[in-house]
């Protein structure tokens, strides 16, 4: 239905003969149909399928068109520039070649019938696939194991695909830019890198592949040995793509050394007590391999070298040394045959106790660490303990007041020192044998006697002490005093150490003796005019006795007998006596109220004369022996005489009696 001419009828079949009539229509109705006229529709337009099998070609395909005997296909750049290619064909496909890659083309096609009448045409656009990218550059990051790939932009490419192919894997990345990074590459692998450009028509051919060798993998199966001590041997397995190897050894003090080798082993010098951190890298043109396992190896701790014994006794040795590197603990062993004494400590010192005296020990200080254990290569040294304490067997005194000390020897090649210590001083003697003699010890003293053994290793502990008491001292001075004719008093100074004294006076006539705690003694029954030997014994509280002999003592002469007085003229008196046994000198004394009168006889006489003596007085007369010292003895009896002056008896001496001497 149309309002005006012309009118178009749609929905008809192509290549079909139709009879066409026209009617007019008004409000009052429809007219009759016009005379019919025949018309035939043209051939249908081909339904095109286009593609770009290569960057310089487009393939056009279609299905057969009813009543068509040929087809006409033309192509030109969509932008209208350039020439138009037109091809006629009876086939249902056609390929245009020598096109520009990556360019959008417009394709138009129609069919014609036997009369050469063209049918409807079909038009579509098709882009050629892009060319392969050029100027490919590959940059490898060995640390991140990734490759950066770049290229020159390609005409008509919408995006790009970079592929990395190896024997065991395929990696790729896609981008719309002209560079792309492929990550997660494998070490020790050779890749072929290619780039494809693509658009809606498809992908370009791949570029010529670029070979990429990644870094070698870190060497594995690393083994570390220290043989002999001081030499580290590091070995590892060979790896693919590894041109050479570098082994790094870094000590815990920061010092690092390395070796470069094409082999699979390196040797290094090492020191005791260090921890070494060891890593091995493989190298090629791509760079360094990734870091593998870092191994640590701790060498044995150093051995103490300045072992110094600071104290050596009979049963104990104290040693010290300087701390050594790497040691966490020290183990000290003292070995004597099958006997082992040990101590463990973290300090650089050790006291070995419960040792045998005078014994040679093999002492070793081992250093220990938890990682490496004990360093068994430490050298030992010999230390001999101090000698054993001697045992005193006896302490004796000989006839010459020499003290002899005997002990039981318990050491080899020892010098023994005997010490006697008391309030009066210190006395010593030494010997390499079993006894020692000490002379000159003061009397009356108490000593403590000990014996000490000494060798090159040191001194022993003193032996158990033995008490020693010397005999009391003889009194320095002794005095004998005649008290009466038969009684004497012996006195003396105190003898050191003496508690009891025995005094003995001995002669051919007998002996007189007394025992006392005092420092004097009275002895009776003494014969006058006799020589006595005086002996004093000083005795200590324990019974030790000192025999003290002094010069002989002569007792005084006997008192004379028969003392008589005779008158000699008006004023003289003769005193006469009878001498006792023995020879002696005498002295005569007359004591009266008018004075004292003395006379001494000439030698050998037994009388003496006193002249000018007053009469008419009473006199006490005493005739006394005179000692050798000139001392006049006063213990002889006294007689009293009266000298008168009257009558025919003028001058007579009358005996009045006797008075004892005081």
């Amino acid at each position: 239905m149309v309002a005006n001419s012309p009118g178009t009828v749609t929905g008809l079949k192509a290549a079909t003969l139709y009879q066409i009539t026209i009617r007019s229509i008004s409000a009052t109705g429809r007219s009759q149909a016009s005379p019919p006229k025949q018309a035939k529709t043209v051939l249908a337009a081909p339904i095109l399928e286009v593609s770009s099998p290569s960057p310089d070609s487009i393939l056009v395909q279609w299905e057969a068109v009813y009543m068509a005997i040929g087809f006409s296909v033309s192509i030109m750049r969509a932008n209208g520039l350039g020439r138009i290619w037109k091809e006629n064909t009876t086939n249902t496909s056609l390929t245009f070649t020598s096109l520009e890659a990556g360019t959008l083309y417009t394709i138009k096609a129609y069919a014609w019938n036997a009369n050469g009448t063209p049918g409807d045409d079909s038009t579509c656009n098709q882009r050629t696939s892009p060319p392969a990218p050029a100027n490919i550059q590959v940059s490898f990051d060995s640390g991140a194991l990734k490759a950066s790939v770049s290229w020159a932009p390609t005409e008509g490419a919408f995006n790009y695909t970079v592929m990395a192919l190896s024997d065991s894997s395929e990696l790729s990345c896609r981008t719309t830019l002209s560079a792309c990074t492929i990550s997660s590459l494998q070490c020790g692998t050779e890749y072929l890198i290619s780039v494809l450009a693509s658009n809606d028509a498809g992908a370009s051919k791949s570029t010529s592949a670029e070979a990429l060798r990644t870094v070698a993998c870190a060497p594995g199966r690393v083994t570390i040995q220290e043989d002999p001590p001081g030499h580290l041997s590091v070995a590892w397995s060979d790896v693919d793509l590894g041109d050479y190897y570098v082994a790094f050894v870094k000590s815990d003090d920061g010092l690092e050394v390395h070796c470069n080798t094409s082999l699979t082993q390196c040797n290094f010098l090492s020191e005791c007590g260090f921890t070494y951190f060891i890593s091995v890298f493989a190298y090629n043109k791509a760079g360094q391999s990734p870091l593998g396992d870092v191994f640590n190896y701790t060498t044995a701790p150093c051995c103490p070298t300045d072992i110094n014994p600071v104290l050596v006794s009979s049963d104990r040795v104290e040693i010290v040394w300087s701390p050594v590197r790497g040691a966490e603990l020290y183990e000290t062993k003292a070995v004597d045959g099958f006997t082992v004494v040990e101590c463990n400590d973290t300090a650089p010192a050790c006291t070995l106790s419960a040792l045998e005296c005078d014994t040679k020990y093999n002492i070793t200080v081992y250093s220990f660490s938890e990682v490496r254990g004990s360093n068994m290569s430490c050298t030992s040294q010999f230390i001999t303990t101090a000698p054993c304490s001697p045992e005193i067997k006896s302490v004796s005194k000989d006839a010459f007041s020499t003290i002899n000390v005997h002990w039981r020897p318990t050491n080899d090649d020892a010098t023994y020192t005997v010490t006697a210590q008391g309030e009066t001083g210190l006395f010593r003697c030494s010997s390499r044998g079993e006894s020692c003699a000490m002379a000159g010890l003061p009397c009356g003293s108490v000593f403590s006697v000990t014996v000490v053994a000494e060798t090159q290793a040191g001194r022993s502990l003193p032996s158990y002490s033995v008490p020693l008491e010397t005999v009391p001292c003889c009194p320095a001075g002794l005095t004998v005093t005649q008290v009466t004719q038969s009684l004497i008093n012996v006195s003396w100074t105190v003898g050191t150490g003496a508690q009891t004294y025995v005094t003995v006076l001995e002669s051919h006539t007998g002996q007189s003796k007394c025992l006392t705690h005092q420092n004097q003694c009275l002895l009776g029954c003494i014969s006058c005019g006799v020589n006595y030997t005086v002996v004093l014994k000083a005795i200590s509280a324990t019974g030790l006795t000192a025999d003290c002999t002094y010069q002989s003592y002569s007792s005084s002469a006997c008192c004379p007998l028969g003392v008589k007085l005779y008158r000699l003229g008006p004023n003289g008196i003769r005193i006469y006596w009878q001498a006792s046994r023995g020879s002696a000198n005498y002295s005569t004394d007359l004591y009266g109220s008018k004075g004292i009168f003395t006379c001494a006889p000439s030698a050998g006489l037994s009388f003496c004369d006193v002249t000018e003596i007053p009469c008419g007085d009473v006199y006490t007369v005493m005739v006394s022996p005179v000692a050798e010292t000139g001392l006049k003895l006063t213990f002889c009896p006294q007689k009293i005489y009266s000298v008168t002056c009257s009558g025919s008896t003028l001058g007579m001496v009358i005996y009045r009696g006797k008075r004892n001497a005081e």
Side-chain angles (χ1 to χ4, degrees):
M1 297 293 290
V2 296
N4 296 297
S5 177
T8 300
V9 180
T10 62
L12 303 180
K13 293 183 179 179
T16 301
L17 182 64
Y18 285 92
Q19 181 175 290
I20 301 171
T21 60
I22 300 173
R23 295 175 186 273
S24 60
I25 300 174
S26 66
T28 58
R30 300 173 61 182
S31 70
Q32 291 185 356
S34 67
K37 188 175 182 178
Q38 291 185 339
K40 192 175 183 178
T41 56
V42 298
L43 299 179
I47 301 174
L48 301 178
E49 292 182 4
V50 293
S51 63
S52 178
S54 66
D56 62 347
S57 66
I58 291 178
L59 172 64
V60 184
Q61 294 177 303
W62 59 88
E63 293 182 0
V65 176
Y66 176 66
M67 296 299 292
I69 62 170
F71 300 90
S72 179
V73 183
S74 62
I75 186 170
M76 65 176 296
R77 293 180 65 151
N79 58 9
L81 300 176
R83 56 173 289 197
I84 299 175
W85 287 272
K86 185 175 181 180
E87 297 286 343
N88 293 326
T89 182
T90 58
N91 297 322
T92 56
S93 65
L94 183 65
T95 300
F96 292 96
T97 60
S98 301
L99 302 179
E100 294 184 16
T103 303
L104 182 63
Y105 286 89
T106 298
I107 299 99
K108 185 176 182 180
Y110 61 89
W112 69 83
N113 56 19
N115 298 324
T117 304
D120 284 343
D121 58 14
S122 294
T123 303
C124 68
N125 291 330
Q126 176 63 48
R127 192 182 306 274
T128 53
S129 59
N135 298 326
I136 296 175
Q137 302 292 327
V138 180
S139 176
F140 178 67
D141 185 344
S142 61
L145 283 177
K146 62 183 181 180
S148 295
V149 185
S150 63
W151 55 90
T154 300
E155 181 70 29
F158 292 171
N159 50 56
Y160 302 91
T161 301
V162 180
M163 291 179 293
L165 300 178
S166 70
D167 292 339
S168 59
S169 65
E170 178 179 338
L171 300 173
S172 65
C173 67
R174 293 175 62 85
T175 181
T176 60
L177 305 176
S178 59
C180 187
T181 299
I182 298 179
S183 302
S184 303
L185 297 176
Q186 299 296 316
C187 61
T189 305
E190 187 167 2
Y191 289 92
L192 295 177
I193 306 295
S194 60
V195 183
L196 296 178
S198 60
N199 56 21
D200 53 354
S204 68
K205 291 182 180 179
S206 63
T207 60
S208 297
E210 295 286 335
L212 171 65
R213 297 178 69 188
T214 62
V215 294
C217 294
R221 296 199 298 274
V222 177
T223 59
I224 304 167
Q225 291 183 332
E226 186 183 15
D227 187 22
H231 296 79
L232 281 183
S233 175
V234 182
W236 56 87
S237 61
D238 200 4
V239 295
D240 294 335
L241 304 184
D243 294 339
Y244 64 95
Y245 303 92
V246 178
F248 293 89
V249 175
K250 186 175 184 179
S251 59
D252 52 12
D253 64 351
L255 181 64
E256 184 178 70
V257 295
H258 69 276
C259 87
N260 189 325
T261 180
S262 58
L263 305 177
T264 57
Q265 180 176 337
C266 272
N267 295 313
F268 298 90
L269 294 177
S270 62
E271 295 184 39
C272 58
F274 276 108
T275 296
Y276 293 93
F277 300 93
I278 301 166
S279 55
V280 182
F281 295 90
Y283 287 83
N284 57 23
K285 291 182 178 180
Q288 174 184 289
S289 67
L291 176 65
D293 292 332
V294 177
F295 298 88
N296 64 70
Y297 183 87
T298 301
T299 55
C302 299
C303 291
T305 56
D306 57 345
I307 299 173
N308 182 29
V310 296
L311 173 65
V312 177
S313 67
S314 299
D315 63 347
R316 186 162 53 102
V317 172
E318 181 180 341
I319 55 178
V320 295
W321 57 88
S322 299
V324 295
R325 188 173 55 244
E328 300 170 357
L329 184 73
Y330 299 97
E331 181 182 23
T332 306
K333 287 187 177 181
V335 180
D336 168 33
F338 297 102
T339 303
V340 178
V341 179
E342 62 181 273
C343 72
N344 299 328
D345 205 332
T346 56
C350 177
T351 299
L352 296 164
S353 55
L355 303 179
E356 296 293 333
C357 56
D358 195 38
T359 302
K360 189 176 185 179
Y361 284 91
N362 187 355
I363 296 180
T364 310
V365 179
Y366 300 99
S367 52
F368 175 87
S369 68
E370 186 175 356
V371 174
R372 192 56 55 195
S374 294
N375 187 344
M376 302 306 294
S377 65
C378 299
T379 58
S380 60
Q381 70 177 77
F382 288 97
I383 296 178
T384 303
T385 53
C388 304
S389 296
E391 178 186 349
I392 297 177
K393 294 194 297 185
S394 64
V395 178
S396 60
K397 177 183 175 184
D398 62 17
F400 301 99
S401 299
T402 299
I403 304 300
N404 293 294
V405 181
H406 295 262
W407 57 85
R408 193 186 313 279
T410 53
N411 305 284
D412 295 330
D413 195 25
T415 299
Y416 297 88
T417 300
V418 179
T419 301
Q421 184 173 10
E423 294 181 356
T424 56
L426 197 66
F427 298 86
R428 289 191 178 94
C429 67
S430 297
S431 171
R432 299 182 66 86
E434 302 179 13
S435 64
C436 181
M438 281 188 296
L441 270 67
C443 57
S445 300
V446 176
F447 295 91
S448 175
V449 180
T450 57
V451 182
V452 173
E454 186 172 2
T455 63
Q456 290 183 346
R459 291 171 59 89
S460 71
L461 293 174
S463 65
Y464 293 117
S465 63
V466 173
L468 169 66
E469 181 183 1
T470 57
V471 295
C473 295
C474 289
L478 183 140
T479 302
V480 181
T481 305
Q482 191 95 28
V483 179
T484 66
Q485 185 170 288
S486 63
L487 181 67
I488 65 171
N489 179 53
V490 182
S491 62
W492 53 86
T493 58
V494 175
T496 303
Q499 186 175 11
T500 304
Y501 300 92
V502 176
T503 307
V504 178
L505 268 69
E506 191 171 15
S507 71
H508 64 280
T509 61
Q511 184 186 74
S512 181
K513 179 179 181 181
C514 80
L515 175 66
T516 181
H517 291 291
Q518 306 299 321
N519 61 336
Q520 64 176 5
C521 186
L522 290 173
L523 290 98
C525 301
I526 299 300
S527 299
C528 56
V530 176
N531 286 332
Y532 284 91
T533 300
V534 181
V535 176
L536 178 65
K537 294 184 178 182
I539 305 172
S540 69
T542 59
L544 291 178
T545 301
D547 292 325
C548 308
T549 302
Y550 296 91
Q551 293 180 350
S552 61
Y553 170 75
S554 296
S555 61
S556 63
C558 298
C559 292
L561 302 176
V563 177
K564 295 179 181 180
L565 271 68
Y566 296 95
R567 185 65 180 251
L568 295 177
N571 295 317
I573 293 295
R574 171 169 288 185
I575 301 96
Y576 176 81
W577 61 88
Q578 182 180 347
S580 62
R581 66 178 177 271
S583 60
N585 294 323
Y586 295 92
S587 174
T588 302
D589 296 303
L590 285 78
Y591 302 92
S593 61
K594 297 178 180 179
I596 299 175
F597 302 92
T598 302
C599 71
S602 299
L605 299 179
S606 58
F607 65 90
C608 70
D609 297 332
V610 177
T611 60
E612 302 299 329
I613 183 170
C615 61
D617 199 358
V618 176
Y619 292 93
T620 299
V621 179
M622 182 173 64
V623 180
S624 302
V626 178
E628 293 179 356
T629 60
L631 180 64
K632 191 186 322 181
L633 303 181
T634 60
F635 51 76
C636 290
Q638 299 175 356
K639 290 186 177 183
I640 299 174
Y641 291 89
S642 176
V643 179
T644 64
C645 297
S646 60
S648 59
T649 59
L650 178 64
M652 292 296 291
V653 179
I654 301 172
Y655 176 64
R656 300 285 297 271
K658 183 174 70 174
R659 192 171 84 181
N660 292 328
E662 294 180 357

